[in-house]
Amino acid sequence: MTVNVYDQKILILDFGSQYTQLIARRVREARVYCEIHPFNMSLQKIKDFSPKGIILSGGPSSIYDDNAPFAEKGLIDLEVPILGICYGMQFLTHLLGGVVAKSGDREYGNVQIRIEDERDLFYGLGRGEQRTVWMSHGDRIDHMPEGFEALAGSKNSPVAAMADVERRRFGVQFHPEVAHTPDGLKIIGNFLFRICGCDPSWTMASFVRKTVKSLKEDIGEERVICGLSGGVDSSVTAVLLHGAIGEKLSCILVDNGLLRRNEAREVMDVFQGYYGMDLHLVDASEHFLKHLDGVTDPEKKRKIIGREFIRIFEEKAKELGRAKYLAQGTLYPDVIESVSFKGPSATIKSHHNVGGLPDVMNLELIEPLRELFKDEVREVGVELGLPRELVMRQPFPGPGLAVRILGEITGERLEILRAADAIVRDEIKMAGLYEKVWQSFAVLLPVRTVGVMGDERTYENVIAVRSVDSLDAMTADWSKIPYEVLGRISNRIINSVKGVNRVVYDISSKPPSTIEWE
Ligand code: XMP
């Protein structure tokens, strides 16, 4: 089921740039709705999408490459403003009969450009002014297509920006979407507001209003089931649906026994207690522990947990009676990863938050957050009145503490990890770091070390503390937590968690390590 609730849309055609998502982020920050689609989106689909403007992204190719990505030629005849960025500009030039010079050397990094025309794209930047921009290109424009004028030039690129103002075709050789181009947001804003005539009306309040309305209409009298984990995405999904269909929504919280201390209780309190949702807690701790008995291989653990989760969820859903839809908290980056650049026909990674459930249960999917980035989801959460604690929660893996207990999972080892993890969370929060780092947690290692407590020799467990800084979990660096905070964490764990006599801090980045230890 697709929910389409926006009137002013910008279309971003993706030619494979590592910055394409950033373009979308910037457009959204300017409060205009946009979507990323593959470069080969059909003309008919583009027309159906009915954009107020089109942005052609950069890309790693040269237009002279054998397999260079080309968008539909008819694009150029549309009565819609177009902005080409880097490869997008070169593609535009090529398509309109200009000449792109093949160059072996890349121009890379901060470059000064001189603004020659500040009427449209560079409005407010000052004619004759030098501005810093970020360049990363090989080829450049040798001859502009007919009707175009240069808007700015740099030492190596006489045509650093160009336009056919009458036909509203613009191109920039640099990347306005990256932070290294300080005036980038202004330039993108000029394109959106001055050239495309958009309004800054994409707010999370408008998203909530429109989404609730269309969910209500589309779902009608049917019932919806939603798996609730207490994570940001599933929580916001559930509250949004609850606002739309109230009692026709049933949520299931599976306690797999691998949650953090008090987690299930806290989730119940918020959603059942505060929102009055129809929320069913299934305590399956024993069940999961039994199936994980003696299992030490990380992938086996994941498989077992995934399989049993589906089994339990399905059982409970059947018990609750007939539902037509299953709600999931899929986010936009997952959707882009699935369809962008290579196009919808390429083999894609499937992103099922609750792996495979719809197939098994014959349910249709509802994914009300599939157009949103994570920070937008958090804004929606705030808009819906979710507690800040929940909205700002760090990510927590589906398999839970199972992938943070190296080796065998037992009730006793879970208790040790829970106690240590609660201390890490507590200290990180007290130091004001919880919302600054991406994730911070404890890991229980499968080794014992010798220690001394009082006059006694001890031979006990080691806890590793992991904290990373990251933007998207694809890459991460270990957080530079102040020594005093690490010291307090270590003291508290060793003094109060029975069975632990040593704490170490993980100083590995991703890659080559990963964030989780398993
Ligand atoms: P890694 O360890 O691969 O983690 O660097 C990247 C991000 O994904 C989370 N993670 C998982 N989430 N199921 C999940 O739902 C999993 O099996 C899983 N493994 C890792 C991890 O916490 C981090 O945010």
Side-chain angles (χ1 to χ4, degrees), residues 221-273:
E221 291 309 307
E222 302 292 345
R223 296 196 61 81
V224 179
I225 291 220
C226 177
L228 191 59
S229 69
V232 188
D233 309 342
S234 69
S235 298
V236 172
T237 303
V239 177
L240 206 48
L241 274 157
H242 187 245
I245 60 165
E247 286 165 7
K248 285 183 293 251
L249 170 74
S250 297
C251 292
I252 301 174
L253 169 61
V254 177
D255 183 353
N256 55 11
L258 305 164
L259 304 178
R260 288 163 293 190
R261 185 177 268 178
N262 297 333
E263 203 161 7
R265 191 65 269 147
E266 283 167 12
V267 176
M268 291 300 286
D269 285 349
V270 172
F271 294 94
Q272 201 174 47

Side-chain angles (χ1 to χ4, degrees), residues 37-164:
H37 285 267
F39 67 90
N40 57 2
M41 185 180 192
S42 75
L43 200 57
Q44 191 53 48
K45 279 207 172 130
I46 296 177
K47 285 181 183 162
D48 293 344
F49 185 81
S50 183
K52 291 276 284 182
I54 300 175
I55 298 179
L56 311 176
S57 86
S61 313
S62 158
I63 55 154
Y64 296 111
D65 289 350
D66 284 345
N67 293 319
F70 275 34
E72 286 253 10
K73 283 198 181 74
L75 182 77
I76 215 64
D77 300 320
L78 296 176
E79 291 281 323
V80 178
I82 300 179
L83 170 65
I85 295 176
C86 201
Y87 177 88
M89 179 202 206
Q90 292 153 11
F91 171 71
L92 205 59
T93 302
H94 187 70
L95 198 65
L96 289 166
V99 180
V100 177
K102 194 160 173 49
S103 136
D105 307 322
R106 276 195 96 70
E107 188 178 23
Y108 184 81
N110 280 327
V111 170
Q112 294 290 314
I113 57 165
R114 192 185 131 91
I115 309 289
E116 304 296 349
D117 183 328
E118 64 154 343
R119 279 174 298 172
D120 303 285
L121 200 58
F122 296 144
Y123 181 79
L125 296 191
R127 186 157 181 260
E129 296 271 328
Q130 297 281 339
R131 298 281 170 175
T132 305
V133 298
W134 180 260
M135 293 275 196
S136 172
H137 65 106
D139 300 353
R140 62 186 170 88
I141 310 301
D142 231 13
H143 290 294
M144 287 179 282
E146 219 181 291
F148 276 75
E149 283 175 58
L151 304 180
S154 74
K155 211 168 99 203
N156 290 324
S157 305
V159 186
M162 63 177 198
D164 177 341

Side-chain angles (χ1 to χ4, degrees), residues 8 52 81 168 190-199:
Q8 294 193 354
K52 291 276 284 182
R168 297 186 296 170
N190 283 339
F191 179 69
L192 300 174
F193 305 124
R194 298 186 69 81
I195 297 165
C196 301
C198 295
D199 305 307

Side-chain angles (χ1 to χ4, degrees), residues 302 395-399 403-404 438-439 473 510 514-516 518:
R302 276 199 170 75
F396 184 63
V403 290
R404 294 179 182 171
W438 175 264
Q439 268 171 298
K510 171 183 180 177
T514 50
I515 295 175
E516 304 289 344
E518 283 197 339

Side-chain angles (χ1 to χ4, degrees), residues 265-448:
R265 191 65 269 147
E266 283 167 12
V267 176
M268 291 300 286
D269 285 349
V270 172
F271 294 94
Q272 201 174 47
Y274 181 71
Y275 284 99
M277 272 188 206
D278 181 38
L279 171 57
H280 302 262
L281 173 68
V282 187
D283 183 0
S285 321
E286 293 292 322
H287 179 90
F288 278 85
L289 271 188
K290 199 175 79 210
H291 281 272
L292 288 167
D293 189 31
V295 179
T296 55
D297 179 76
E299 283 315 300
K300 253 196 202 142
K301 285 181 186 172
R302 276 199 170 75
K303 282 215 177 84
I304 292 169
I305 294 165
R307 186 191 69 210
E308 293 310 312
F309 179 86
I310 292 176
R311 188 173 289 170
I312 304 261
F313 191 92
E314 201 184 1
E315 245 170 47
K316 188 69 196 175
K318 267 194 199 136
E319 199 185 300
L320 291 176
R322 188 82 210 114
K324 182 169 182 195
Y325 298 107
L326 174 77
Q328 282 195 168
T330 313
L331 304 193
Y332 197 42
D334 298 336
V335 178
I336 301 172
E337 201 181 314
S338 301
V339 299
S340 189
F341 190 51
K342 285 188 188 128
S345 58
T347 327
I348 56 168
K349 198 163 117 190
S350 62
H351 289 270
H352 288 305
N353 291 343
V354 280
L357 268 177
D359 298 345
V360 181
M361 297 173 60
N362 233 346
L363 290 167
E364 278 181 47
L365 273 185
I366 297 182
E367 300 172 312
L369 309 180
R370 58 181 284 122
E371 277 106 13
L372 302 190
F373 288 101
K374 188 87 177 184
D375 52 334
E376 291 176 320
V377 172
R378 292 202 158 115
E379 261 187 75
V380 171
V382 172
E383 196 63 45
L384 294 168
L386 274 164
R388 184 174 176 88
E389 280 259 307
L390 213 152
V391 171
M392 297 313 290
R393 243 175 165 207
Q394 295 175 356
F396 184 63
L401 299 182
V403 290
R404 294 179 182 171
I405 292 182
L406 278 62
E408 213 173 322
I409 300 161
T410 62
E412 190 194 348
R413 301 192 80 211
L414 271 163
E415 271 321 301
I416 292 176
L417 182 58
R418 276 198 188 106
D421 188 69
I423 292 171
V424 174
R425 261 196 292 168
D426 195 37
E427 287 296 335
I428 292 283
K429 278 185 182 167
M430 283 201 296
L433 296 170
Y434 185 79
E435 292 181 17
K436 294 202 173 104
V437 301
W438 175 264
Q439 268 171 298
S440 44
F441 53 88
V443 182
L444 179 59
L445 306 190
V447 287
R448 286 173 174 230

